[in-house]
Amino acid sequence: MRAVSKHLLGGLNATTFLRRHWQKQPLLVRGAFPAFEGVLDLDEMQELACREECDARLVLRQGQRWSVEHGPFSRKRLSRLPARDWTLLVQGLERVLPAARELLSHFNFIPYSRLDDLMVSYAPPGGGVGAHFDSYDVFLLQGPGQRRWRVGRQRDLSLVEGAPLKILRNFAPDGECVLSAGDMLYLPPEYAHEGVALDACFTYSIGFRAPSHRELVSRFLAHLDDGLEIDGRYADPDLRAQARPAHIDIGMVAKIEAVLGSITWSRRDVVAFVGGYLTEPASQVVFASPVRALTRTAFSKAVRQAGVELAGGTLMLHSGSEVFINGESHRVDGRNGAPLRELADRRRLQGHRATAAAMDVLYQWYRNGYIYLRKKRRI
Ligand code: SIN
Ligand code: CO
């Protein structure tokens, strides 16, 4: 895995950062990415905001009034914006831009299972999304331009009612800083913050999701429901005449309780759920199968020569003898486990590392558009 540069966390190593700051307290790093120029310019960003694959939003402020528009946008809409007080946001950059994936790889010391996405915002002076909190761990990396951040650890997280986005009703900042290109601010979840552009500015948000218990439980129950095979039907051959017909008899409750009590799950079921849930692709992602797919034999030869890499929208994780890709699970063994886990960790696999046993599943993923052949290097 990529080593953490001495700049990224302001001289801290990953272990110290995780112990002192992660989920605990903010960290301001000056020059986290020295001479950082960002991964796209405004024209490229606007082009993405006009496409389906990335979630784009436009946040506009007029005094205390906020409005939000959702993409994809037309070029015409984006060319008719006022001189100040708005923000364009585009999420999921890593799905479409190799340079965005390269930027994310600096944060590989945090597991992919926690990664949400890379979002970019562009704002003219006065632009921002208001005082709010996120349910995410976030690294706010400043691109070109300057942004003033005000932050506060506050308990009162009540929101302005009826606003089209989350705006804190009583923002009480206790710290302030101005970020220039390459500076970075880490904030734990639920830390109140407000960023206002001082000049035309880009901000990159590297977000790490922390799903609520509510979400985990309801998604797990849905997963369990999908796989449950439950036979039988409610039966009461022992039914007795009842004086109060509206009364739910305790005997009926006990019978139903016994049925519910027969639902069990194992650690394997939980692993299968977690792997499937965390690799479920974003709704906008469409995997494009190769137009003229190679035959299985030609594919193996091409893999050996050039290797493969994951498509931008592909999510891949592994646990024990399972690998998960885009919501699917595959059992691996001693013959194909090492290369497939390597592909998940590095998002690419060199040709000589691909074993014969891995080829079948790689070919299937290639046909699905989950992986691409790497371009052959010219010498
Ligand atoms: C922004 O980039 O304007 C907003 C990022 C955030 O506050 O999470
Ligand atoms: Co935020």
Side-chain angles (χ1 to χ4, degrees):
M1 285 294 95
R2 181 174 203 142
V4 170
S5 84
K6 67 176 192 296
H7 305 288
L8 183 72
L9 302 168
L12 301 181
N13 62 29
T15 309
T16 310
F17 166 78
L18 292 173
R19 196 180 61 240
R20 286 195 200 152
H21 294 276
W22 180 251
Q23 300 240 298
K24 300 167 197 79
Q25 53 168 325
L27 176 68
L28 169 62
V29 182
R30 296 285 176 199
F33 286 80
F36 184 60
E37 290 179 353
V39 302
L40 41 54
D41 60 24
L42 183 56
D43 192 54
E44 290 162 327
M45 184 179 170
Q46 289 183 334
E47 197 209 308
L48 291 179
C50 297
R51 276 163 49 178
E52 293 275 352
E53 305 100 288
C54 299
D55 242 345
R57 279 170 298 154
L58 198 49
V59 175
L60 299 108
R61 180 174 64 82
Q62 272 184 310
Q64 295 306 305
R65 278 197 35 226
W66 295 90
S67 59
V68 182
E69 294 171 30
H70 293 268
F73 296 101
S74 65
R75 277 279 181 178
K76 199 164 152 203
R77 173 67 189 114
L78 298 180
S79 66
R80 291 187 176 175
L81 288 163
R84 50 177 301 128
D85 299 344
W86 56 267
T87 298
L88 177 66
L89 305 124
V90 176
Q91 281 185 251
L93 285 191
E94 74 288 356
R95 301 202 287 263
V96 288
L97 285 185
R101 291 197 283 283
E102 153 66 18
L103 178 61
L104 278 186
S105 72
H106 289 267
F107 298 86
N108 275 357
F109 65 96
I110 301 167
Y112 294 158
S113 52
R114 288 285 266 105
L115 180 64
D116 191 57
D117 76 342
L118 175 63
M119 176 180 87
V120 64
S121 70
Y122 170 82
V129 297
H132 66 284
F133 66 91
D134 298 306
S135 338
Y136 284 34
D137 296 271
V138 66
F139 293 89
L140 298 159
L141 168 62
Q142 186 58 36
Q146 288 195 312
R147 184 181 286 275
R148 190 195 69 207
W149 288 99
R150 294 193 298 155
V151 302
R153 184 195 289 279
Q154 63 186 67
R155 280 173 180 228
D156 176 3
L157 296 179
S158 58
L159 300 173
V160 173
E161 270 172 42
L165 69 173
K166 270 177 26 178
I167 304 284
L168 280 166
R169 190 152 40 163
N170 304 306
F171 181 43
D174 54 27
E176 179 173 325
C177 56
V178 172
L179 263 56
S180 302
D183 295 342
M184 188 170 77
L185 178 62
Y186 162 75
L187 294 177
E190 303 197 342
Y191 213 94
H193 55 286
E194 178 196 51
V196 178
L198 298 183
D199 49 16
C201 103
F202 290 85
T203 299
Y204 292 84
S205 299
I206 298 112
F208 292 87
R209 64 172 157 181
S212 67
H213 288 173
R214 171 83 254 165
E215 151 112 358
L216 287 173
V217 170
S218 57
R219 297 291 299 266
F220 178 64
L221 291 178
H223 166 86
L224 211 55
D225 188 29
D226 281 346
L228 278 182
E229 273 183 38
I230 299 188
D231 300 323
R233 176 179 300 282
Y234 184 78
D236 52 3
D238 50 349
L239 186 67
R240 302 238 178 108
Q242 216 170 279
R244 314 264 321 253
H247 178 237
I248 302 171
D249 182 66
I250 196 67
M252 177 181 222
V253 173
K255 280 184 177 137
I256 294 174
E257 191 178 15
V259 174
L260 298 179
S262 71
I263 303 168
T264 56
W265 58 86
S266 64
R267 173 67 61 87
R268 262 185 75 183
D269 294 317
V270 179
V271 169
F273 158 66
V274 173
Y277 166 67
L278 293 177
T279 60
E280 213 167 81
S283 56
Q284 309 88 332
V285 175
V286 179
F287 294 102
S289 302
V291 183
R292 271 189 301 276
L294 298 177
T295 62
R296 167 78 170 72
T297 314
F299 172 78
S300 299
K301 197 168 157 211
V303 171
R304 293 244 154 70
Q305 279 174 356
V308 289
E309 64 185 298
L310 299 184
T314 286
L315 297 172
M316 189 177 181
L317 299 171
H318 57 84
S319 173
S321 56
E322 302 286 336
V323 299
F324 301 93
I325 186 163
N326 298 329
E328 299 167 9
S329 79
H330 294 262
R331 190 146 261 261
V332 294
D333 57 26
R335 296 166 312 130
N336 60 5
L340 296 180
R341 287 188 199 104
E342 184 174 327
L343 175 62
D345 286 328
R346 305 173 73 91
R347 295 191 63 87
R348 66 167 76 112
L349 184 68
Q350 288 179 312
H352 70 276
R353 313 275 297 166
T355 58
M359 281 306 175
D360 282 337
V361 71
L362 288 176
Y363 188 58
Q364 185 189 327
W365 295 346
Y366 158 74
R367 298 289 304 251
N368 292 348
Y370 295 174
I371 61 173
Y372 300 144
L373 284 162
R374 300 195 74 206
K375 301 251 171 353
K376 267 182 245 163
R377 263 204 233 117
R378 295 218 182 99
I379 302 171

